[in-house]
Amino acid sequence: MVLCFPLSVTPNQSPQGERIMANGEIVVEQLSKEYPGGVVAVADVSLRVEAGRIFGFLGPNGAGKSTTIKILTTLALPTGGRATVGGYDVVTQAEAVRRIAGVALQDIGLDPLMKPLELLALQTRLFGATRAQAQLRGEELLRLMGLTDAADRRVGTYSGGMRRRLDLALALAHEPKVLFLDEPTTGLDPASRRDVWDEVRRLNRELGMTIFLTTQYLEEADELADEVAIIDKGHIAVQGSPARLKSAVGNESINLAFDDRAAAESALAEVGAVGARAQVDRDVLRLYMANAAEAIPAVVTRLREANINPISLTLTQPTLDDVFLQVTGQRLRDESAAPTPAPAANAGRRR
């Protein structure tokens, strides 16, 4: 769903007709939000997103992620603290924020009976463009998103990936400096997801657009984001580049899958001291250490002596999943979304 903010001005201009000179930076300082009844959704959140960067914002359900996004896109007022988007205060200069920010929410709210140019013209004219300007901008956006060949088709005939690209086009109608994407690839097949990734990269690379991305796919954040922040219980738990966050977890991990959590806990008691750090995640025991490959024989021997048999054993480099698990104690996605581990007999290194 793309949010429309009708204004009687041309794209990226003030009501006085002056060109808006936004810097594309996002700054959040001690932001808080408390709802009636004493429910604290965001507590003292501070972060900075440099102009022209892709920023990944992650967190479990109820962590405060959506509330933070609503405040940054002027859909909710903060209880305390301050936030600016492109140099404009989200409370006192909300209209200016709306002129320089594009927003595409998770749910795609497109009229299935309309054609893409009709939707794009409507969106562009809501921001003050003339009919001729709206037509030219719509054609430009269809080319940008690779939808020109489908311009005469009704939106209801589009695939999920095509609808998502059109949704992005609508968010770009007024030439924003900052783009907020809320879980842009949820529900898409792998091929369509890759197409959206390519579009996000290109928008950032070719247009220098600042992109604030929320996602439930840690691989997506790892692929796209220059910097990542994980919010948990209303606070920023950790922030940094994906590479730096992963390196802080450890060098490698031995992952042992069992029939249930009880077996994983028994294995932890037997071999937990082998690693620099050990953690049980559902029915998987993770042993983090340097040179983990060399420790595999000792781990397997010890488990056999204790008559504890894992279903599978894999050796992996740290991922954002490990970072997320370490700082929140849970996975970002549910177990059904996790890949099926390979059999123990085929254990190997995954890159």
Side-chain angles (χ1 to χ4, degrees):
M1 179 187 297
V2 176
L3 300 182
C4 301
F5 300 106
L7 299 172
S8 57
V9 295
T10 54
N12 285 342
Q13 289 188 355
S14 70
Q16 291 74 36
E18 300 171 344
R19 189 73 177 178
I20 291 177
M21 301 301 291
N23 58 25
E25 186 179 52
I26 301 171
V27 180
V28 178
E29 299 173 336
Q30 297 179 310
L31 198 68
S32 65
K33 177 65 175 180
E34 182 175 343
Y35 289 104
V39 178
V40 178
V42 176
D44 195 28
V45 165
S46 296
L47 56 86
R48 181 182 297 268
V49 182
E50 295 179 13
R53 308 275 278 180
I54 301 178
F55 185 83
F57 197 47
L58 311 174
N61 292 334
K65 183 171 73 270
S66 295
T67 300
T68 302
I69 294 268
K70 287 179 180 178
I71 293 172
L72 292 178
T73 55
T74 75
L75 295 176
L77 293 173
T79 303
R82 182 173 182 266
T84 60
V85 175
Y88 298 104
D89 189 283
V90 298
V91 176
T92 63
Q93 298 171 296
E95 287 193 2
V97 171
R98 294 167 186 167
R99 285 192 292 271
I100 58 97
V103 186
L105 299 181
Q106 178 182 350
D107 296 325
I108 306 177
L110 303 175
D111 188 335
L113 299 180
M114 294 183 73
K115 294 182 179 180
L117 274 176
E118 294 172 337
L119 286 170
L120 289 166
L122 174 61
Q123 180 82 347
T124 307
R125 296 202 68 186
L126 284 170
F127 283 92
T130 65
R131 187 183 300 274
Q133 289 172 332
Q135 178 71 22
L136 289 174
R137 181 61 176 159
E139 293 172 354
E140 178 187 5
L141 287 168
L142 287 182
R143 287 194 299 271
L144 189 71
M145 294 297 165
L147 293 172
T148 302
D149 291 342
D152 293 329
R153 291 170 50 185
R154 297 190 186 278
V155 174
T157 69
Y158 279 21
S159 67
M162 293 170 69
R163 288 197 299 271
R164 182 60 71 185
R165 291 204 300 275
L166 178 57
D167 198 44
L168 285 177
L170 289 165
L172 299 173
H174 60 301
E175 303 178 58
K177 296 286 291 183
V178 182
L179 180 61
F180 291 92
L181 299 177
D182 185 19
E183 300 188 10
T185 63
T186 296
L188 298 185
D189 60 79
S192 297
R193 186 176 302 140
R194 289 282 177 179
D195 288 343
V196 173
W197 290 1
D198 289 341
E199 287 299 332
V200 170
R201 289 192 191 96
R202 193 178 58 75
L203 290 170
N204 174 253
R205 181 179 64 252
E206 296 182 9
L207 303 182
M209 190 176 295
T210 305
I211 298 175
F212 193 104
L213 167 77
T214 73
T215 179
Q216 58 176 320
Y217 299 104
L218 288 162
E219 179 192 7
E220 185 164 88
D222 206 357
E223 282 273 345
L224 297 177
D226 300 305
E227 189 161 1
V228 168
I230 297 175
I231 184 171
D232 188 35
K233 298 181 178 66
H235 298 270
I236 299 295
V238 66
Q239 181 175 343
S241 69
R244 185 178 70 81
L245 296 181
K246 288 185 289 186
S247 67
V249 172
N251 295 324
E252 295 177 317
S253 66
I254 299 173
N255 308 308
L256 299 150
F258 297 88
D259 288 321
D260 50 42
R261 186 181 182 91
E265 295 282 1
S266 297
L268 174 63
E270 291 292 334
V271 299
V274 173
R277 186 171 64 84
Q279 186 169 24
V280 172
D281 171 31
R282 297 191 179 93
D283 55 3
V284 176
L285 170 61
R286 299 172 184 263
L287 303 173
Y288 298 93
M289 70 192 78
N291 302 317
E294 298 176 4
I296 289 177
V299 169
V300 172
T301 299
R302 185 69 176 271
L303 289 176
R304 283 177 177 170
E305 291 174 350
N307 199 29
I308 300 174
N309 300 310
I311 296 173
S312 68
L313 182 153
T314 56
L315 180 67
T316 65
Q317 297 293 314
T319 66
L320 282 181
D321 192 34
D322 295 307
V323 177
F324 195 90
L325 180 62
Q326 179 176 327
V327 301
T328 69
Q330 58 182 299
R331 291 184 180 277
L332 183 57
R333 290 179 60 75
D334 60 27
E335 193 172 31
S336 63
T340 302
N346 295 324
R349 185 186 301 266
R350 293 193 306 224
R351 295 291 183 186

